[in-house]
Amino acid sequence: NMARKVAFVTGASNVTGKAIAIEFAKAGYDVGFTYTSNEDGAKRTQKEIESYGAKAKYYYMNTRDVDASVKTLNDFCDEFGPLDAMVNNVGITKTWNFLDVTQEQFNLLSEVNIRGTYFMMQAAAKIMIAAGKKGAIINLSSVHAIGTFVGHSTYATTRAAVVRMTRSVALELAPYGINVNAFAPGYVDMSTSEIYADPKTQEDLKKGMAEAAKYMPLGRWQKPEEIGKCIVFLASEDASFIVGQTLFAEGGVTIPMGSQPDWPELIGPKK
């Protein structure tokens, strides 16, 4: 009887993290995951994971408290066994004009998006090394690591930092057989989130999405499960030669240069 694989995903009560946790369950992993404010969502994620015959357990986690977060990860592994895959999905997206950013705002984003990811990587690596596991660690970054909008100076900085730390940590963990990569999604379809459940809100969201899709090479938003499938691939043996990379699976949105806003009319099948 082969021991089941074990994955841990931070921030999986909704949309992206939820999809990642579920894809791991489909791939035969038992899954631990966390929530920060949405326990009802965490319960729904657990039910869905269990529907694929996997074991699941969720935990409250606020990665601004590094010690408590590390303890939670260790508690999970004491019960489920050492990690095969660690996914640092939790992150905060907030925007402020550069001239208005306060130290508190800067600290919030850097503590969650940079420091939290960094020390959860470290905790996962220590667990894997102690158990002699050749595991995988995947950190969520964003297209904002390379291209960005007005108002995202703090957020983009934190997402670029994830790309950089992923490369550095991959170098140090490779000799242990632990593979570290990052994943950068594009425009993710959030319409399944309960914050958009109201019919009027759904309608407005879909309108906005359709408008924005005109400027995307694929003409559509990213499905959360597409992210989940990529992450499960990065955690797999098939990705063992991909080391310290950031997979920009973003539908080509960072390709067109902003100085040519009419580019969609200039290419493709003539209407």
Side-chain angles (χ1 to χ4, degrees):
N1 180 23
M2 283 283 290
R4 286 176 62 84
K5 287 186 166 182
V6 175
F8 194 85
V9 183
T10 63
S13 61
N14 210 354
V15 196
T16 306
K18 178 179 186 173
I20 293 167
I22 287 163
E23 291 300 329
F24 272 110
K26 287 185 189 173
Y29 290 72
D30 291 331
V31 186
F33 66 95
T34 73
Y35 76 94
T36 305
S37 54
N38 180 8
E39 189 172 7
D40 288 343
K43 286 177 179 161
R44 285 191 285 274
T45 301
Q46 178 172 7
K47 277 209 178 71
E48 208 161 327
I49 290 169
E50 289 170 349
S51 76
Y52 292 100
K55 284 199 302 184
K57 189 165 181 176
Y58 68 80
Y59 302 83
Y60 166 79
M61 182 180 284
N62 178 351
T63 55
R64 292 183 87 179
D65 186 341
V66 171
D67 291 345
S69 300
V70 168
K71 183 184 182 309
T72 298
L73 182 64
N74 279 287
D75 289 348
F76 166 73
C77 292
D78 287 345
E79 185 177 338
F80 279 70
L83 292 166
D84 295 281
M86 171 76 196
V87 182
N88 291 299
N89 168 66
V90 87
I92 294 178
T93 310
K94 279 189 184 294
T95 59
W96 308 283
N97 289 330
F98 169 65
L99 294 174
D100 301 329
V101 175
T102 66
Q103 289 181 45
E104 287 72 26
Q105 290 168 334
F106 187 93
N107 288 346
L108 170 66
L109 262 60
S110 53
E111 284 168 17
V112 174
N113 298 357
I114 302 176
R115 190 181 69 187
T117 295
Y118 188 94
F119 285 104
M120 291 308 284
M121 270 203 288
Q122 186 190 65
K126 286 178 175 176
I127 290 165
M128 290 172 182
I129 290 165
K133 273 259 171 154
K134 293 184 185 326
I137 299 171
I138 300 104
N139 302 317
L140 268 285
S141 179
S142 160
V143 284
H144 286 275
I146 56 170
T148 200
F149 301 127
V150 169
H152 285 68
S153 61
T154 312
Y155 179 72
T157 298
T158 65
R159 289 321 201 182
V162 171
V163 170
R164 188 57 259 171
M165 73 165 93
T166 296
R167 283 181 81 68
S168 300
V169 174
L171 178 66
E172 294 192 38
L173 293 183
Y176 296 97
I178 297 170
N179 199 5
V180 186
N181 288 293
F183 181 84
Y187 292 71
V188 185
D189 180 351
M190 303 290 280
S191 60
T192 55
S193 170
E194 49 263 31
I195 63 171
Y196 300 116
D198 169 70
K200 173 81 180 91
T201 314
Q202 256 309 310
E203 194 187 333
D204 292 347
L205 178 70
K206 294 280 195 216
K207 258 191 214 135
M209 284 173 62
E211 190 52 41
K214 293 177 189 168
Y215 300 96
M216 301 182 195
L218 292 185
R220 69 171 180 84
W221 290 56
Q222 189 166 23
K223 299 186 192 88
E225 57 270 24
E226 291 175 314
I227 297 172
K229 286 181 167 70
C230 284
I231 299 232
V232 170
F233 164 69
L234 287 173
S236 75
E237 195 56 42
D238 292 337
S240 62
F241 219 69
I242 302 171
V243 177
Q245 301 302 308
T246 298
L247 174 56
F248 283 90
E250 38 72 304
V253 296
T254 59
I255 302 172
M257 289 195 349
S259 56
Q260 196 177 32
D262 58 341
W263 72 266
E265 281 78 70
L266 303 176
I267 60 164
K270 294 292 168 266
K271 301 282 184 283

